[in-house]
Short mmCIF file of all heavy atoms in Angstrom, two decimals:
data_model
loop_
_atom_site.label_atom_id
_atom_site.label_comp_id
_atom_site.label_asym_id
_atom_site.label_seq_id
_atom_site.Cartn_x
_atom_site.Cartn_y
_atom_site.Cartn_z
N THR A 138 73.95 -30.11 -35.15
CA THR A 138 75.01 -29.39 -34.46
C THR A 138 75.58 -28.32 -35.36
O THR A 138 75.47 -28.39 -36.58
CB THR A 138 76.14 -30.34 -34.03
OG1 THR A 138 76.69 -30.99 -35.18
CG2 THR A 138 75.63 -31.39 -33.05
N ASN A 139 76.19 -27.33 -34.74
CA ASN A 139 76.92 -26.33 -35.49
C ASN A 139 78.12 -25.89 -34.69
O ASN A 139 78.13 -25.97 -33.46
CB ASN A 139 76.02 -25.14 -35.86
CG ASN A 139 75.57 -24.35 -34.65
OD1 ASN A 139 74.67 -24.76 -33.93
ND2 ASN A 139 76.21 -23.20 -34.42
N TYR A 140 79.14 -25.41 -35.42
CA TYR A 140 80.42 -25.06 -34.81
C TYR A 140 80.97 -23.79 -35.40
O TYR A 140 80.77 -23.50 -36.59
CB TYR A 140 81.44 -26.18 -35.04
CG TYR A 140 81.06 -27.50 -34.45
CD1 TYR A 140 80.36 -28.44 -35.20
CD2 TYR A 140 81.39 -27.81 -33.14
CE1 TYR A 140 80.00 -29.66 -34.65
CE2 TYR A 140 81.04 -29.02 -32.59
CZ TYR A 140 80.34 -29.95 -33.34
OH TYR A 140 79.99 -31.15 -32.79
N ALA A 141 81.68 -23.07 -34.58
CA ALA A 141 82.48 -21.97 -35.11
C ALA A 141 83.56 -22.53 -36.02
O ALA A 141 84.10 -23.62 -35.79
CB ALA A 141 83.11 -21.19 -33.96
N ASP A 142 83.90 -21.76 -37.05
CA ASP A 142 84.95 -22.21 -37.97
C ASP A 142 86.26 -22.50 -37.24
O ASP A 142 86.99 -23.42 -37.63
CB ASP A 142 85.19 -21.15 -39.04
CG ASP A 142 84.06 -21.04 -40.03
OD1 ASP A 142 83.20 -21.95 -40.10
OD2 ASP A 142 84.03 -20.03 -40.77
N SER A 143 86.54 -21.75 -36.21
CA SER A 143 87.81 -21.89 -35.51
C SER A 143 87.95 -23.21 -34.76
O SER A 143 89.08 -23.60 -34.42
CB SER A 143 87.99 -20.73 -34.54
OG SER A 143 86.94 -20.68 -33.60
N VAL A 144 86.85 -23.89 -34.48
CA VAL A 144 86.91 -25.14 -33.74
C VAL A 144 86.44 -26.33 -34.56
O VAL A 144 86.52 -27.48 -34.08
CB VAL A 144 86.11 -25.06 -32.43
CG1 VAL A 144 86.54 -23.85 -31.62
CG2 VAL A 144 84.61 -25.05 -32.68
N MET A 145 85.97 -26.09 -35.75
CA MET A 145 85.47 -27.17 -36.60
C MET A 145 86.52 -28.25 -36.77
O MET A 145 87.69 -27.97 -37.09
CB MET A 145 85.06 -26.60 -37.95
CG MET A 145 84.43 -27.62 -38.89
SD MET A 145 82.72 -28.01 -38.43
CE MET A 145 81.92 -26.46 -38.87
N GLY A 146 86.11 -29.49 -36.56
CA GLY A 146 87.01 -30.61 -36.71
C GLY A 146 87.80 -30.95 -35.47
O GLY A 146 88.41 -32.02 -35.40
N ARG A 147 87.82 -30.05 -34.50
CA ARG A 147 88.56 -30.27 -33.26
C ARG A 147 87.64 -30.47 -32.06
O ARG A 147 87.96 -31.22 -31.15
CB ARG A 147 89.51 -29.11 -32.97
CG ARG A 147 90.55 -28.90 -34.06
CD ARG A 147 91.59 -27.86 -33.63
NE ARG A 147 90.97 -26.54 -33.41
CZ ARG A 147 91.00 -25.89 -32.25
NH1 ARG A 147 91.63 -26.41 -31.19
NH2 ARG A 147 90.43 -24.70 -32.15
N PHE A 148 86.52 -29.76 -32.07
CA PHE A 148 85.58 -29.82 -30.96
C PHE A 148 84.33 -30.59 -31.38
O PHE A 148 83.90 -30.51 -32.54
CB PHE A 148 85.14 -28.42 -30.52
CG PHE A 148 86.19 -27.59 -29.84
CD1 PHE A 148 87.53 -27.95 -29.84
CD2 PHE A 148 85.81 -26.43 -29.19
CE1 PHE A 148 88.49 -27.16 -29.22
CE2 PHE A 148 86.75 -25.63 -28.56
CZ PHE A 148 88.10 -26.00 -28.58
N THR A 149 83.73 -31.28 -30.43
CA THR A 149 82.49 -31.99 -30.67
C THR A 149 81.51 -31.70 -29.54
O THR A 149 81.83 -31.92 -28.37
CB THR A 149 82.70 -33.51 -30.77
OG1 THR A 149 83.64 -33.80 -31.81
CG2 THR A 149 81.38 -34.22 -31.08
N ILE A 150 80.35 -31.21 -29.89
CA ILE A 150 79.29 -31.01 -28.92
C ILE A 150 78.37 -32.22 -28.94
O ILE A 150 78.07 -32.78 -30.00
CB ILE A 150 78.53 -29.69 -29.18
CG1 ILE A 150 77.57 -29.38 -28.02
CG2 ILE A 150 77.81 -29.72 -30.51
CD1 ILE A 150 76.97 -27.98 -28.09
N SER A 151 77.93 -32.63 -27.76
CA SER A 151 77.01 -33.75 -27.65
C SER A 151 76.14 -33.54 -26.43
O SER A 151 76.37 -32.62 -25.63
CB SER A 151 77.77 -35.08 -27.57
OG SER A 151 78.59 -35.13 -26.41
N ARG A 152 75.14 -34.37 -26.29
CA ARG A 152 74.29 -34.26 -25.12
C ARG A 152 73.76 -35.62 -24.71
O ARG A 152 73.65 -36.54 -25.53
CB ARG A 152 73.14 -33.28 -25.36
CG ARG A 152 72.13 -33.72 -26.39
CD ARG A 152 71.24 -32.56 -26.82
NE ARG A 152 70.41 -32.08 -25.73
CZ ARG A 152 69.85 -30.87 -25.68
NH1 ARG A 152 70.05 -30.00 -26.67
NH2 ARG A 152 69.11 -30.52 -24.63
N ASP A 153 73.44 -35.71 -23.45
CA ASP A 153 72.79 -36.89 -22.89
C ASP A 153 71.55 -36.38 -22.18
O ASP A 153 71.62 -35.87 -21.06
CB ASP A 153 73.73 -37.62 -21.94
CG ASP A 153 73.14 -38.92 -21.43
OD1 ASP A 153 71.92 -39.12 -21.51
OD2 ASP A 153 73.93 -39.76 -20.93
N ASN A 154 70.43 -36.50 -22.84
CA ASN A 154 69.21 -35.94 -22.28
C ASN A 154 68.74 -36.67 -21.02
O ASN A 154 68.06 -36.08 -20.19
CB ASN A 154 68.10 -35.93 -23.33
CG ASN A 154 68.32 -34.85 -24.38
OD1 ASN A 154 69.10 -33.91 -24.17
ND2 ASN A 154 67.63 -34.96 -25.50
N ALA A 155 69.11 -37.92 -20.89
CA ALA A 155 68.78 -38.66 -19.67
C ALA A 155 69.52 -38.10 -18.46
O ALA A 155 69.08 -38.29 -17.33
CB ALA A 155 69.09 -40.14 -19.84
N LYS A 156 70.65 -37.44 -18.70
CA LYS A 156 71.44 -36.84 -17.63
C LYS A 156 71.33 -35.33 -17.58
O LYS A 156 72.01 -34.69 -16.78
CB LYS A 156 72.91 -37.23 -17.78
CG LYS A 156 73.17 -38.72 -17.65
CD LYS A 156 74.65 -39.01 -17.80
CE LYS A 156 74.93 -40.50 -17.63
NZ LYS A 156 76.37 -40.81 -17.80
N ASN A 157 70.50 -34.75 -18.43
CA ASN A 157 70.36 -33.30 -18.52
C ASN A 157 71.72 -32.62 -18.68
O ASN A 157 71.99 -31.57 -18.08
CB ASN A 157 69.65 -32.74 -17.29
CG ASN A 157 68.15 -32.96 -17.32
OD1 ASN A 157 67.62 -33.67 -18.18
ND2 ASN A 157 67.45 -32.35 -16.37
N THR A 158 72.55 -33.20 -19.52
CA THR A 158 73.93 -32.74 -19.64
C THR A 158 74.30 -32.52 -21.10
O THR A 158 73.98 -33.36 -21.96
CB THR A 158 74.89 -33.73 -18.99
OG1 THR A 158 74.55 -33.89 -17.61
CG2 THR A 158 76.33 -33.24 -19.08
N VAL A 159 74.99 -31.42 -21.35
CA VAL A 159 75.59 -31.16 -22.64
C VAL A 159 77.10 -31.15 -22.45
O VAL A 159 77.61 -30.67 -21.43
CB VAL A 159 75.07 -29.85 -23.27
CG1 VAL A 159 75.38 -28.65 -22.39
CG2 VAL A 159 75.61 -29.66 -24.68
N TYR A 160 77.81 -31.68 -23.43
CA TYR A 160 79.25 -31.82 -23.37
C TYR A 160 79.93 -31.05 -24.49
O TYR A 160 79.35 -30.83 -25.56
CB TYR A 160 79.67 -33.28 -23.50
CG TYR A 160 79.04 -34.20 -22.49
CD1 TYR A 160 77.88 -34.91 -22.79
CD2 TYR A 160 79.60 -34.36 -21.23
CE1 TYR A 160 77.30 -35.75 -21.87
CE2 TYR A 160 79.02 -35.20 -20.30
CZ TYR A 160 77.88 -35.90 -20.62
OH TYR A 160 77.30 -36.75 -19.70
N LEU A 161 81.15 -30.69 -24.26
CA LEU A 161 82.00 -30.17 -25.31
C LEU A 161 83.34 -30.88 -25.22
O LEU A 161 84.13 -30.63 -24.30
CB LEU A 161 82.20 -28.65 -25.18
CG LEU A 161 82.94 -27.99 -26.33
CD1 LEU A 161 82.13 -28.06 -27.62
CD2 LEU A 161 83.29 -26.55 -26.00
N GLN A 162 83.55 -31.80 -26.14
CA GLN A 162 84.83 -32.49 -26.24
C GLN A 162 85.77 -31.62 -27.06
O GLN A 162 85.47 -31.30 -28.21
CB GLN A 162 84.66 -33.85 -26.90
CG GLN A 162 85.95 -34.63 -27.08
CD GLN A 162 86.56 -35.06 -25.78
OE1 GLN A 162 85.86 -35.58 -24.91
NE2 GLN A 162 87.86 -34.85 -25.61
N MET A 163 86.89 -31.27 -26.48
CA MET A 163 87.84 -30.38 -27.11
C MET A 163 89.14 -31.12 -27.32
O MET A 163 89.80 -31.51 -26.35
CB MET A 163 88.07 -29.13 -26.26
CG MET A 163 86.78 -28.39 -25.92
SD MET A 163 87.08 -26.83 -25.05
CE MET A 163 87.82 -27.47 -23.54
N ASN A 164 89.50 -31.33 -28.56
CA ASN A 164 90.73 -32.01 -28.92
C ASN A 164 91.66 -31.06 -29.65
O ASN A 164 91.24 -30.02 -30.14
CB ASN A 164 90.42 -33.21 -29.82
CG ASN A 164 89.56 -34.25 -29.15
OD1 ASN A 164 89.65 -34.47 -27.95
ND2 ASN A 164 88.73 -34.92 -29.94
N SER A 165 92.91 -31.45 -29.75
CA SER A 165 93.91 -30.66 -30.46
C SER A 165 93.89 -29.21 -30.03
O SER A 165 93.90 -28.28 -30.84
CB SER A 165 93.70 -30.77 -31.98
OG SER A 165 93.76 -32.12 -32.40
N LEU A 166 93.88 -29.01 -28.74
CA LEU A 166 93.72 -27.67 -28.20
C LEU A 166 94.92 -26.78 -28.54
O LEU A 166 96.06 -27.24 -28.57
CB LEU A 166 93.51 -27.72 -26.70
CG LEU A 166 92.09 -28.13 -26.30
CD1 LEU A 166 92.05 -28.63 -24.87
CD2 LEU A 166 91.13 -26.95 -26.49
N LYS A 167 94.60 -25.53 -28.78
CA LYS A 167 95.58 -24.52 -29.14
C LYS A 167 95.58 -23.42 -28.09
O LYS A 167 94.57 -23.21 -27.41
CB LYS A 167 95.23 -23.90 -30.49
CG LYS A 167 95.09 -24.89 -31.63
CD LYS A 167 94.61 -24.19 -32.89
CE LYS A 167 94.46 -25.16 -34.04
NZ LYS A 167 93.97 -24.49 -35.26
N PRO A 168 96.68 -22.70 -27.95
CA PRO A 168 96.69 -21.59 -27.00
C PRO A 168 95.55 -20.60 -27.22
O PRO A 168 95.03 -20.05 -26.23
CB PRO A 168 98.05 -20.94 -27.23
CG PRO A 168 98.91 -22.07 -27.69
CD PRO A 168 98.01 -22.93 -28.53
N GLU A 169 95.16 -20.39 -28.45
CA GLU A 169 94.08 -19.45 -28.73
C GLU A 169 92.71 -19.95 -28.29
O GLU A 169 91.73 -19.21 -28.34
CB GLU A 169 94.04 -19.06 -30.21
CG GLU A 169 94.06 -20.23 -31.16
CD GLU A 169 95.44 -20.55 -31.70
OE1 GLU A 169 96.40 -20.59 -30.91
OE2 GLU A 169 95.58 -20.74 -32.93
N ASP A 170 92.62 -21.21 -27.85
CA ASP A 170 91.39 -21.72 -27.26
C ASP A 170 91.25 -21.33 -25.80
O ASP A 170 90.20 -21.59 -25.19
CB ASP A 170 91.34 -23.25 -27.36
CG ASP A 170 91.27 -23.74 -28.80
OD1 ASP A 170 90.54 -23.14 -29.60
OD2 ASP A 170 91.95 -24.75 -29.10
N THR A 171 92.28 -20.74 -25.23
CA THR A 171 92.21 -20.30 -23.85
C THR A 171 91.08 -19.30 -23.68
O THR A 171 91.00 -18.29 -24.39
CB THR A 171 93.54 -19.66 -23.43
OG1 THR A 171 94.56 -20.66 -23.44
CG2 THR A 171 93.45 -19.07 -22.03
N ALA A 172 90.19 -19.59 -22.74
CA ALA A 172 89.01 -18.77 -22.55
C ALA A 172 88.23 -19.29 -21.37
O ALA A 172 88.47 -20.40 -20.87
CB ALA A 172 88.11 -18.81 -23.79
N VAL A 173 87.27 -18.50 -20.94
CA VAL A 173 86.23 -19.00 -20.06
C VAL A 173 85.11 -19.52 -20.96
O VAL A 173 84.62 -18.81 -21.84
CB VAL A 173 85.71 -17.93 -19.11
CG1 VAL A 173 84.60 -18.49 -18.22
CG2 VAL A 173 86.85 -17.38 -18.26
N TYR A 174 84.72 -20.75 -20.73
CA TYR A 174 83.69 -21.39 -21.53
C TYR A 174 82.38 -21.41 -20.76
O TYR A 174 82.34 -21.78 -19.58
CB TYR A 174 84.11 -22.82 -21.90
CG TYR A 174 85.14 -22.85 -23.00
CD1 TYR A 174 86.46 -22.47 -22.74
CD2 TYR A 174 84.80 -23.22 -24.29
CE1 TYR A 174 87.41 -22.47 -23.75
CE2 TYR A 174 85.75 -23.23 -25.30
CZ TYR A 174 87.05 -22.85 -25.03
OH TYR A 174 87.99 -22.85 -26.04
N TYR A 175 81.32 -21.03 -21.45
CA TYR A 175 80.00 -20.89 -20.83
C TYR A 175 78.97 -21.74 -21.55
O TYR A 175 78.92 -21.77 -22.78
CB TYR A 175 79.52 -19.44 -20.91
CG TYR A 175 80.37 -18.44 -20.16
CD1 TYR A 175 81.42 -17.80 -20.80
CD2 TYR A 175 80.12 -18.14 -18.83
CE1 TYR A 175 82.20 -16.86 -20.13
CE2 TYR A 175 80.89 -17.21 -18.15
CZ TYR A 175 81.93 -16.58 -18.81
OH TYR A 175 82.69 -15.65 -18.14
N CYS A 176 78.13 -22.36 -20.78
CA CYS A 176 76.95 -23.06 -21.26
C CYS A 176 75.78 -22.08 -21.30
O CYS A 176 75.66 -21.21 -20.43
CB CYS A 176 76.66 -24.22 -20.32
SG CYS A 176 75.29 -25.27 -20.73
N HIS A 177 74.92 -22.22 -22.31
CA HIS A 177 73.83 -21.27 -22.49
C HIS A 177 72.60 -21.95 -23.03
O HIS A 177 72.70 -22.89 -23.82
CB HIS A 177 74.27 -20.17 -23.47
CG HIS A 177 73.23 -19.15 -23.76
ND1 HIS A 177 72.42 -19.23 -24.88
CD2 HIS A 177 72.85 -18.03 -23.11
CE1 HIS A 177 71.60 -18.21 -24.90
NE2 HIS A 177 71.84 -17.45 -23.83
#
């Protein structure tokens, strides 16, 4: 995994290949995290 410095320690990316799903767990959210989030 890799993370932007701005989210390191707060966000966790994971996946469940059996469900064809990737997740982004976002904790300790800050106003500057406000955005449209896109999967790619």
